[in-house]
Amino acid sequence: MIAQPPRHRLYVDAPLAAGLDVRLDGAQAHYLRDVMRLGPGAAVALFNGRDGEWLATLDTLGKAGAQAVAQTLLRPQGDEDGPWLLFAPLKKEATDYLVEKAVELGCGALLPVMTRRTQSQKVRTDRLRAQVIGAAEQCERLTLPAVFEPRPLAKVLEDWPAERRLFVLAERRDALPAARAFAGARALKAALLVGPEGGLDDKDLDALLALPSSTPVGLGPRILRAETAAAAALAVWQAVAGDWETR
Amino acid sequence: MIAQPPRHRLYVDAPLAAGLDVRLDGAQAHYLRDVMRLGPGAAVALFNGRDGEWLATLDTLGKAGAQAVAQTLLRPQGDEDGPWLLFAPLKKEATDYLVEKAVELGCGALLPVMTRRTQSQKVRTDRLRAQVIGAAEQCERLTLPAVFEPRPLAKVLEDWPAERRLFVLAERRDALPAARAFAGARALKAALLVGPEGGLDDKDLDALLALPSSTPVGLGPRILRAETAAAAALAVWQAVAGDWETR
């Protein structure tokens, strides 16, 4: 038994269970050895999004990678069924910010959506996924939100799962204030959609609101940047309908 | 009467009233002329944080500055009495982000506080103020949050106004969930305090919580970066106790 979990926390893809050898890649080995100055025998925490968080001890540490042995379960795997976040890809820095904050705020999945006004047509989902892992390591999540390939809005709407409520963050007179909209959806599967910089095109907004399971939601009287709207909506969701109440 | 407010919105220090000449500085003149390609006669919106938002027409546009004439009141000045945000200065980018989001989310004043673990000792309040203005121009605020000079935490606590409730965003077992804490404070003057990266030192936290008007508040089970915590707390405040309900 240990009193304190280890300071260093890494995501791995491999299965985790007592006694299992786990391979760490070259970047992780570099971080542990050259940045954190750890050597064989040092303790790290490992998680893979499926088997909980494990105390592991470093075995070998080389240039090409490292080896660790899983020892004790630190935290069992739990659900983290936060809302999906649908977003129109933004400029690089704004997207980076949006992804990082979405992971910290317990987002369940990230879905890049191509809207009429989407500024950036190129979305590198491998890059998004690397950011998701980095943010999850930092914020003590045990799960990784899924990262979907970018899809045109029309296609997303066509295939929308009827049982999932889609909250469209929109500046409209008939939009429900966020706290009221979300509190009424506590038990539902949910998704939040933020538009591109400059807001959703009217045609896109009409198509979104024509979906039987969509609701327009307002985030107050000021104009929020898209990445601010995403973080703000997720925070309000967690506070009134999500997992902030349980602590 | 005009149907649509002008697209370009600038903060000025000068008084605003019908017929008054208003001087714009060199940077503003450059933006309007060289970036936005506006010429004499074009319409802009001006606000100064005191006299509401005014439709103005450009008169002269030169290298050293420009001149506009205020014409019609577009929006009367209102109150925007959002919570103060006390924050430990962070690394440059994180502070930039924190300030921008705080303005968008209706923060009433920005107070840099030197805590035991504050990483950056240098705070350029002139830079903070320029960022506040840029963010306010973008997000359609009519007010500017005040920017205070940095002060040591002990000094801030010594002079704390008893009538203002201080919500300390802290990872503690006895912290109230944010939505519950804020909903109970709807009518109160409030302030939110976020600690430095790595969290508040125990001594600082004890000093904060010894204040009769302070309350520890929790932001859920994940570890939020300081700038995420600031944006998240302000969003939840506005959603449950602030001005998002009124729209």
Side-chain angles (χ1 to χ4, degrees):
Chain A
M1 297 302 272
I2 57 155
Q4 193 83 355
R7 276 184 57 211
H8 309 291
R9 195 166 176 277
L10 295 172
Y11 171 80
V12 294
D13 197 37
L16 292 168
L20 280 191
D21 284 339
V22 183
R23 224 190 119 56
L24 306 176
D25 66 24
Q28 292 175 324
H30 164 70
Y31 167 77
L32 294 173
R33 192 180 60 166
D34 303 327
V35 182
M36 290 299 136
R37 307 276 171 195
L38 300 185
V44 294
L46 303 178
F47 69 107
N48 62 9
R50 307 182 302 273
D51 303 323
E53 185 171 55
W54 285 79
L55 173 69
T57 47
L58 292 175
D59 194 352
T60 58
L61 268 158
K63 283 227 161 145
Q67 187 103 348
V69 185
Q71 309 280 0
T72 324
L73 184 66
L74 294 170
R75 288 195 291 160
Q77 189 69 36
D79 283 338
E80 207 158 18
D81 194 20
W84 292 359
L85 180 65
L86 282 70
F87 67 101
L90 308 168
K91 286 171 200 153
K92 185 178 160 297
E93 279 192 8
T95 301
D96 289 355
Y97 173 82
L98 177 143
V99 170
E100 180 181 286
K101 301 321 177 204
V103 174
E104 292 176 54
L105 293 166
C107 163
L110 286 158
L111 293 82
V113 176
M114 296 304 173
T115 63
R116 278 190 170 73
R117 286 206 193 126
T118 295
Q119 285 156 15
S120 160
Q121 292 299 328
K122 243 175 63 185
V123 181
R124 287 191 40 199
T125 43
D126 57 336
R127 197 162 174 277
L128 292 188
R129 197 171 146 80
Q131 290 177 308
V132 160
I133 291 173
E137 289 176 340
Q138 280 246 343
C139 76
E140 303 198 0
R141 271 183 81 142
L142 285 186
T143 60
L144 296 186
V147 175
F148 286 77
E149 287 297 323
R151 300 176 74 196
L153 179 61
K155 198 86 192 92
V156 170
L157 293 180
E158 214 178 288
D159 301 339
W160 190 256
E163 78 283 4
R164 187 171 290 266
R165 185 130 288 272
L166 177 60
F167 293 103
V168 180
L169 306 169
E171 292 140 26
R172 279 170 57 109
R173 297 231 158 267
D174 61 350
L176 266 180
R180 225 180 301 161
F182 296 163
R186 192 182 297 266
L188 300 180
K189 286 178 189 293
L192 313 175
L193 180 140
V194 288
E197 291 293 356
L200 286 160
D201 176 280
D202 280 342
K203 281 191 186 166
D204 284 345
L205 190 54
D206 289 346
L208 276 160
L209 297 183
L211 197 73
S213 46
S214 77
T215 306
V217 167
L219 296 176
R222 286 165 297 276
I223 305 298
L224 304 185
R225 286 172 193 262
E227 74 275 17
T228 317
L234 279 166
V236 176
W237 172 273
Q238 296 294 9
V240 305
D243 62 13
W244 289 9
E245 271 295 318
T246 57
R247 171 156 171 163
Chain B
M1 296 301 274
I2 55 154
Q4 194 82 353
R7 275 185 56 210
H8 309 289
R9 193 165 178 277
L10 296 171
Y11 171 81
V12 294
D13 196 38
L16 293 169
L20 281 191
D21 285 339
V22 183
R23 223 189 120 58
L24 305 177
D25 66 26
Q28 292 174 324
H30 164 70
Y31 167 77
L32 294 173
R33 192 180 60 166
D34 303 327
V35 182
M36 291 298 136
R37 307 278 171 194
L38 300 186
V44 293
L46 303 178
F47 69 107
N48 62 8
R50 307 181 302 273
D51 303 324
E53 185 171 57
W54 285 79
L55 173 69
T57 47
L58 292 175
D59 195 352
T60 57
L61 268 157
K63 283 226 159 147
Q67 187 104 347
V69 185
Q71 309 281 0
T72 325
L73 184 66
L74 293 170
R75 286 195 291 160
Q77 188 69 36
D79 283 338
E80 207 157 16
D81 195 18
W84 292 359
L85 180 65
L86 282 69
F87 66 101
L90 309 167
K91 287 171 200 154
K92 185 177 160 299
E93 278 192 8
T95 301
D96 290 355
Y97 172 82
L98 177 143
V99 169
E100 182 181 285
K101 301 320 175 205
V103 174
E104 291 176 54
L105 293 166
C107 162
L110 286 159
L111 294 82
V113 176
M114 295 305 173
T115 63
R116 276 187 172 74
R117 285 207 193 126
T118 295
Q119 284 156 15
S120 160
Q121 291 300 328
K122 243 177 61 184
V123 181
R124 288 191 41 198
T125 43
D126 57 336
R127 198 163 174 275
L128 292 189
R129 198 172 145 79
Q131 290 176 309
V132 160
I133 290 173
E137 288 175 342
Q138 281 245 344
C139 76
E140 304 197 358
R141 270 183 82 141
L142 285 186
T143 60
L144 296 186
V147 175
F148 286 77
E149 288 297 323
R151 299 177 75 198
L153 180 61
K155 198 84 193 94
V156 170
L157 293 179
E158 212 178 290
D159 300 341
W160 191 256
E163 78 283 4
R164 187 171 290 266
R165 184 129 289 271
L166 177 60
F167 293 103
V168 180
L169 305 170
E171 292 139 27
R172 280 169 57 109
R173 296 231 158 265
D174 60 349
L176 265 179
R180 224 180 301 162
F182 296 163
R186 192 184 296 265
L188 300 180
K189 286 178 189 291
L192 313 175
L193 180 141
V194 287
E197 290 294 356
L200 285 161
D201 176 281
D202 280 343
K203 281 191 186 166
D204 284 345
L205 190 55
D206 289 345
L208 277 160
L209 298 183
L211 197 74
S213 45
S214 77
T215 307
V217 167
L219 297 176
R222 286 164 298 275
I223 305 297
L224 304 184
R225 285 171 193 263
E227 73 275 18
T228 316
L234 279 165
V236 176
W237 172 274
Q238 296 295 7
V240 305
D243 62 14
W244 288 11
E245 271 296 316
T246 58
R247 169 155 174 166

